């Protein structure tokens, strides 16, 4: 779609097309170069709009990526819940959570920036919509986890929340920048401290799942 076509759009369906085009451009840029390296100007250039037009649909760069994060949360919750239906134990449920989140690098990248940048410089409505979306997805996953484990729905939600939080923390550490990658390549002793996302996540979630029932009465 050309810049002129965007500028002439006035009907609701055209405005929705703009939003979708902005989100698609931001998604592809993040996949190509990482969330932290994408500016509002880059999104505007990719979609063929001036920055002043972008902010008519998303007030800030951070609001664009919070919207994408809402989408990613929904996709993860759906994928995990589908696989959890066939899980037969807490250990299998943990593996499902770890595998489905680690299979989503954009989700992990977005999670790694949530509290440090994406929740900053946003409007109250955008923040509220994001928090409600996360709350609802965690509640859904808590129900799905409780159905196939000995955990309660609350504990299941806590386990899912921990999976997302740990994935956001581990993802950048397990995908080091070039300088650190070279250090690890040259020093095997230091390389051992670089976590591998999936097995590290599985181990941590297994420990948490084992410990949650011991705190049930607190």
């Amino acid at each position: 779609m050309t810049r002129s076509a965007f500028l002439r759009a006035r009907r609701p369906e055209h405005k929705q097309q703009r939003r979708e085009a902005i989100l698609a451009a931001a998604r592809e840029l993040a996949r190509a170069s990482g969330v932290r390296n994408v500016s509002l100007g880059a999104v505007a250039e990719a979609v063929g709009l001036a920055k002043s037009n972008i902010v008519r649909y998303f007030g800030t760069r951070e609001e664009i990526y919070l919207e994408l994060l809402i989408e990613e949360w929904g996709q993860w919750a759906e994928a995990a819940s589908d696989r959890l239906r066939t899980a037969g134990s807490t250990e299998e449920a943990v593996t499902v959570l770890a595998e489905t989140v680690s299979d989503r690098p954009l989700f992990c990248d977005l999670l790694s920036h949530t509290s440090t940048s994406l929740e900053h410089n946003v409007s109250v409505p955008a923040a509220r919509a994001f928090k409600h979306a996360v709350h609802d997805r965690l509640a859904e996953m808590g129900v799905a986890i409780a159905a196939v484990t000995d955990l309660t729905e609350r504990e299941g939600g806590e386990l899912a929340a921990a999976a997302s939080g740990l994935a956001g923390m581990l993802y950048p550490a397990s995908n080091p920048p070039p300088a650190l990658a070279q250090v690890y390549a040259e020093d095997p002793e230091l390389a051992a401290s670089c976590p591998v996302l999936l097995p590290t996540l599985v181990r941590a979630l297994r420990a948490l799942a084992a410990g949650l029932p011991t705190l049930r009465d607190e």
Side-chain angles (χ1 to χ4, degrees), residues 35-53:
V35 172
R36 67 176 298 174
N37 297 313
V38 182
S39 66
L40 185 62
V43 176
E45 182 178 357
V47 81
L49 283 172
K51 285 197 291 184
S52 59
N53 286 328

Side-chain angles (χ1 to χ4, degrees), residues 35 61-62 65-66 68-70 73 106-122 130-131 134 164-165 168-169:
V35 172
R61 165 194 176 275
E62 289 74 19
Y65 281 109
L66 274 191
L68 287 177
L69 188 48
I70 289 173
W73 265 102
L106 177 58
F107 185 35
C108 292
D109 193 9
L110 288 165
L111 288 170
S112 73
H113 294 285
T114 302
S115 61
T116 57
S117 65
L118 299 187
E119 291 181 333
H120 301 259
N121 195 32
V122 297
F130 172 66
K131 287 301 186 181
V134 174
S164 65
M169 179 184 71

